[in-house]
Amino acid sequence: LITIDSAGRVIIPIDDGLLVENGARWQKVGRSAGLRGPVYAVMQDREGSVWLGLAGHGLAKWRGYGQWEHFNSDSGLGSDLAYEVAPAGNGAFWAGTDAGLFLGQKTPVGWTWKRQAKLGDLPIHSVRPDAQGRLWLGTEGKGAARLDTASGAVEWFGAKQGLTAVSPYTM
């Protein structure tokens, strides 16, 4: 069912998401935006949120319609499984994922995500900044770590330091 939003834009549900008219162009909202299609129905409510009827996935409500951003392996995040996110300052964000720790920064053409090489692809479940700007990380299988975000140095905490858990999922 084709819909017209409150701004007069045409919205068309398609097999793998939505097409939204944007002037002379069409914006596709699909997997890279976090939307798992097919979309069978779409409507905009009085508050401006867009409701989607999804095949086999129930309903989804898109709050802040037109401002949606989603990050996953298709957009450079490294994994579709993200455990925790924390601010990094200057509009950047840290993301702990099943494929490591990533720093996301907005650029003029979108977002870039860079894996923190010293941690590799170790699953990072917890990302907590401290007052000195360092990050405390809970990992899967390697204990806890403290990352000095300025120098990139990593300090590990495990049994030798009194931490007997090898997978502290939260800090």
Side-chain angles (χ1 to χ4, degrees):
L1 183 63
I2 295 175
T3 301
I4 306 294
D5 71 12
S6 60
R9 293 178 294 239
V10 175
I11 307 173
I12 304 172
I14 58 176
D15 285 344
D16 57 349
L18 294 172
L19 289 176
V20 180
E21 181 186 25
N22 189 4
R25 305 181 15 214
W26 289 90
Q27 174 189 5
K28 181 177 178 185
V29 180
R31 179 171 161 69
S32 66
L35 180 59
R36 305 285 195 261
V39 177
Y40 284 169
V42 60
M43 72 139 243
Q44 188 175 33
D45 66 20
R46 282 181 257 182
E47 287 83 34
S49 295
V50 171
W51 290 80
L52 307 171
L54 305 171
H57 297 282
L59 290 173
K61 184 177 181 182
W62 181 359
R63 294 183 180 164
Y65 169 61
Q67 300 173 22
W68 185 338
E69 291 184 276
H70 182 266
F71 311 103
N72 60 18
S73 58
D74 292 338
S75 58
L77 187 55
S79 175
D80 290 346
L81 186 51
Y83 296 110
E84 191 160 27
V85 64
N90 295 327
F93 289 91
W94 294 104
T97 76
D98 201 44
L101 180 68
F102 288 79
L103 179 63
Q105 296 179 303
K106 190 160 180 73
T107 69
V109 295
W111 283 79
T112 60
W113 293 92
K114 181 179 178 189
R115 184 189 325 260
Q116 300 307 291
K118 289 188 179 178
L119 297 165
D121 61 359
L122 179 69
I124 306 292
H125 287 261
S126 183
V127 181
R128 303 292 173 139
D130 68 15
Q132 289 76 38
R134 301 170 299 191
L135 289 180
W136 287 87
L137 308 170
T139 73
E140 186 173 310
K142 197 168 177 184
R146 183 172 58 201
L147 171 68
D148 183 322
T149 57
S151 70
V154 178
E155 183 179 0
W156 289 97
F157 298 86
K160 188 175 178 182
Q161 292 79 20
L163 179 64
T164 58
V166 295
S167 295
Y169 292 145
T170 189
M171 301 291 285

